Amino acid sequence: KKLNCLAGVRPKRFSESESAEILVDNLIFAADALAAHGLTLVIEAINRFDIPGFLLHRAEQVDKIIEAVERPNVAIQFDVYHAQREQGDITATLRAHIGRIGHIQVADNPGRHQPGTGEINYPFVFAELDRLGYDGFVGLEYVPAPDTTTSLAWLPAMGFSL
């Protein structure tokens, strides 16, 4: 019931504000079309280290775009990996934007591997999501290491099951 919209890299021929205006217009069109089918459009910020020039790289930017779109079926797709790379302070960012978060994705940093392989304290992040009352899905968007099956070992270690 959710469709991810990636804003993309800003074309050099447009300023940041022009690109944001075009994005808002396109999102209004898409949100209206999706609403007729009961679908939500989620917008994801991507860090500037992995994709230099990406138009939206912080949750605050996505939040401003959502305010401009003014449609109830538009939300933030919060990617913990991208948020950590771009701005850190994951739980404060989650608290600030939880009311607009429609989907969450996880990967650890560095390396974008499964939770538990890097610096992000995922037990704390997951506990904070529970405290905040998040009841949506959490997508696993990581590069499995060393392989897909082995990469799932973190789930029972953190109290989850498939």
Side-chain angles (χ1 to χ4, degrees):
K1 298 266 179 193
K2 294 181 182 163
L3 186 68
N4 185 10
C5 174
L6 295 171
V9 174
R10 180 178 61 82
K12 293 184 193 299
R13 68 183 184 275
F14 297 115
S15 70
E16 192 168 318
S17 63
E18 288 171 320
S19 294
E21 287 176 29
I22 293 166
L23 177 61
V24 166
D25 289 344
N26 288 337
L27 290 171
I28 289 169
F29 176 83
D32 289 346
L34 293 173
H37 302 282
L39 300 173
T40 297
L41 187 63
V42 290
I43 307 165
E44 183 176 5
I46 305 289
N47 78 76
R48 292 175 286 184
F49 300 103
D50 289 359
I51 303 180
F54 200 84
L55 182 62
L56 303 175
H57 48 272
R58 296 177 65 92
E60 294 82 5
Q61 292 173 300
V62 176
D63 205 33
K64 285 182 182 178
I65 292 292
I66 291 171
E67 286 177 14
V69 171
E70 297 182 312
R71 298 297 189 274
N73 65 323
V74 179
I76 295 172
Q77 178 161 307
F78 189 85
D79 188 307
V80 175
Y81 166 81
H82 287 301
Q84 176 67 11
R85 292 272 290 154
E86 184 65 39
Q87 64 192 91
D89 210 4
I90 297 300
T91 53
T93 306
L94 283 168
R95 284 183 213 117
H97 301 284
I98 194 67
R100 283 216 170 112
I101 293 176
H103 183 70
I104 295 175
Q105 292 177 318
V106 297
D108 218 327
N109 184 53
R112 198 180 180 122
H113 300 299
Q114 62 270 19
T117 60
E119 66 189 6
I120 300 172
N121 183 347
Y122 270 104
F124 186 82
V125 171
F126 291 138
E128 186 65 16
L129 288 172
D130 286 342
R131 280 190 292 278
L132 294 170
Y134 179 74
D135 63 355
F137 288 101
V138 175
L140 311 181
E141 189 186 52
Y142 58 76
V143 178
D147 57 65
T148 302
T149 303
T150 306
S151 79
L152 298 173
W154 69 273
L155 288 164
M158 291 194 198
F160 300 108
S161 62
L162 291 175

